Amino acid sequence: FFSDTSKPNILYHDGTGSYAVRRLFSADLMRRVWQILNQVGGPCVVTCLILYIVAVLGFIVYPSIPDGTIALQVLNYVAAAGAVACCWLCNLSDPGTVIPSAHDPAPPDDPSDATQVLQTVPGPDGKDVVLKWCRTCRLWRPPRASHCHECGRCFH
């Protein structure tokens, strides 16, 4: 996403009488800023939308309704606060990691990256469950689990 040509350069004096070109923003800094924006950007947008809806209801819709709007306004504010809290809690909570089991051995040979290694085991309800082998974490991933390349672990 951030190539070397997209970073601004600045000149600085290094103390020896010569000038050198230095990167104002390093790739690591920009990558970290992008990760933070990805993590909190969604809840910020949802929070703004909820506050906009509350403002429209509170300043435009409710004043035009005669009598009995106090209960609706209180319900509106409580529901909005609950929605914002749930949105932030869901986004910022730990999704849970997959813990390797000692009795589940690794596949006999580790094939190339082009081949997906699958294992079918009986589930708790009697139906077969397909597990995928994660080469990075070296464990069998349960259904709906995936590997995060940013944090380097498998999660539910």
Side-chain angles (χ1 to χ4, degrees):
F1 180 74
F2 297 103
S3 64
D4 288 335
T5 59
S6 69
K7 298 177 203 165
N9 293 327
I10 59 170
L11 292 175
Y12 75 101
H13 191 272
D14 62 359
T16 62
S18 65
Y19 287 91
V21 177
R22 179 179 177 192
R23 300 284 181 200
L24 181 60
F25 297 110
S26 69
D28 293 334
L29 173 68
M30 295 306 287
R31 192 172 299 115
R32 183 66 185 140
V33 168
W34 187 250
Q35 287 173 349
I36 291 171
L37 286 176
N38 279 337
Q39 185 176 9
V40 299
C44 286
V45 169
V46 170
T47 301
C48 290
L49 287 173
I50 290 172
L51 292 177
Y52 175 75
I53 291 169
V54 167
V56 167
L57 288 174
F59 296 117
I60 297 172
V61 176
Y62 290 142
S64 65
I65 300 173
D67 297 340
T69 60
I70 300 295
L72 285 176
Q73 287 179 348
V74 170
L75 181 64
N76 182 31
Y77 297 140
V78 169
V84 168
C86 287
C87 177
W88 280 97
L89 286 173
C90 286
N91 192 34
L92 298 177
S93 64
D94 185 21
T97 57
V98 179
I99 300 187
S101 177
H103 61 81
D104 288 338
D109 57 343
D110 201 12
S112 68
D113 287 341
T115 308
Q116 179 85 33
V117 179
L118 303 174
Q119 177 185 22
T120 304
V121 296
D125 58 353
K127 295 182 181 178
D128 287 340
V129 176
V130 177
L131 303 177
K132 296 177 185 175
W133 177 252
C134 179
R135 290 181 183 86
T136 307
C137 298
R138 313 256 333 135
L139 56 81
W140 291 102
R141 287 191 310 230
R144 297 182 307 276
S146 59
H147 185 82
C148 177
H149 295 285
E150 290 181 12
C151 65
R153 60 184 181 162
C154 288
F155 63 94
H156 291 278

